[in-house]
Amino acid sequence: MKRFLIVFAVAAIAVTGAFAQDDSLNTAVDAVGAVGQIAADNGVSGTLQGTWYDSKYDCLWVLTVDSTASGLAELRDANGGLIYKFTRNNVQNFKLSASGGLTVSFDCAEKNRQYQFTKPLSGDKDLKLHVYNTYYKETHDATITYKDGSATKN
């Protein structure tokens, strides 16, 4: 476990350095892939690519961050129907950080919301979700339950 934490810390520093030089979504996507690969190589269960269930709103979050960056995240109804697709064209302030886990955050002006997904350093596959509605000044905090590792798009 100590070895993993050292490797993860080195990866986090590398990711932070990459963002200091180039704050583009492409760099962020590459960094997520690199940290995810390090996590997979060290036997950590769960990554930030897959499907999670939000029981409060009976919906699915499908995170699809990959090297193509064609889709960052999708919000789907419980039956899998697409509600909204977050892409490089409709999100702002995309950030990746490693503090108490791996965190991906972004804003969507079209939806008047700020989103944050955190994967704790533990072996737990669930994510911490924080959504702030900038119009109504409301917050939604939840633990969203890991459903599966596929980020299949319908």
Side-chain angles (χ1 to χ4, degrees):
M1 184 66 176
K2 287 181 185 179
R3 182 175 170 194
F4 166 73
L5 291 176
I6 291 169
V7 171
F8 189 83
V10 169
I13 291 167
V15 167
T16 303
F19 286 117
Q21 295 174 11
D22 180 5
D23 197 22
S24 70
L25 183 57
N26 285 332
T27 301
V29 168
D30 292 342
V32 169
V35 172
Q37 186 60 48
I38 289 170
D41 289 346
N42 285 282
V44 175
S45 57
T47 65
L48 290 179
Q49 183 161 351
T51 303
W52 287 264
Y53 178 69
D54 184 339
S55 61
K56 181 174 181 180
Y57 291 103
D58 194 26
C59 64
L60 300 170
W61 283 98
V62 181
L63 299 182
T64 56
V65 177
D66 61 19
S67 60
T68 66
S70 61
L72 178 61
E74 295 177 358
L75 180 59
R76 295 182 168 272
D77 64 28
N79 295 320
L82 184 64
I83 296 171
Y84 193 81
K85 183 172 184 168
F86 300 91
T87 68
R88 69 169 65 191
N89 298 322
N90 62 14
V91 302
Q92 305 79 40
N93 304 318
F94 182 90
K95 294 181 184 125
L96 174 71
S97 62
S99 176
L102 185 62
T103 299
V104 172
S105 61
F106 56 88
D107 302 341
C108 182
E110 186 176 318
K111 291 295 184 184
N112 296 311
R113 287 176 177 78
Q114 299 169 337
Y115 299 90
Q116 181 177 1
F117 300 87
T118 302
K119 168 66 177 87
L121 288 177
S122 70
D124 186 5
K125 294 182 180 186
D126 297 342
L127 296 179
K128 302 292 183 194
L129 170 66
H130 174 79
V131 180
Y132 178 69
N133 184 315
T134 57
Y135 184 80
Y136 291 108
K137 309 290 189 238
E138 296 174 345
T139 300
H140 167 60
D141 288 306
T143 298
I144 54 178
T145 308
Y146 180 76
K147 211 170 147 51
D148 64 56
S150 67
T152 305
K153 302 172 199 173
N154 293 339

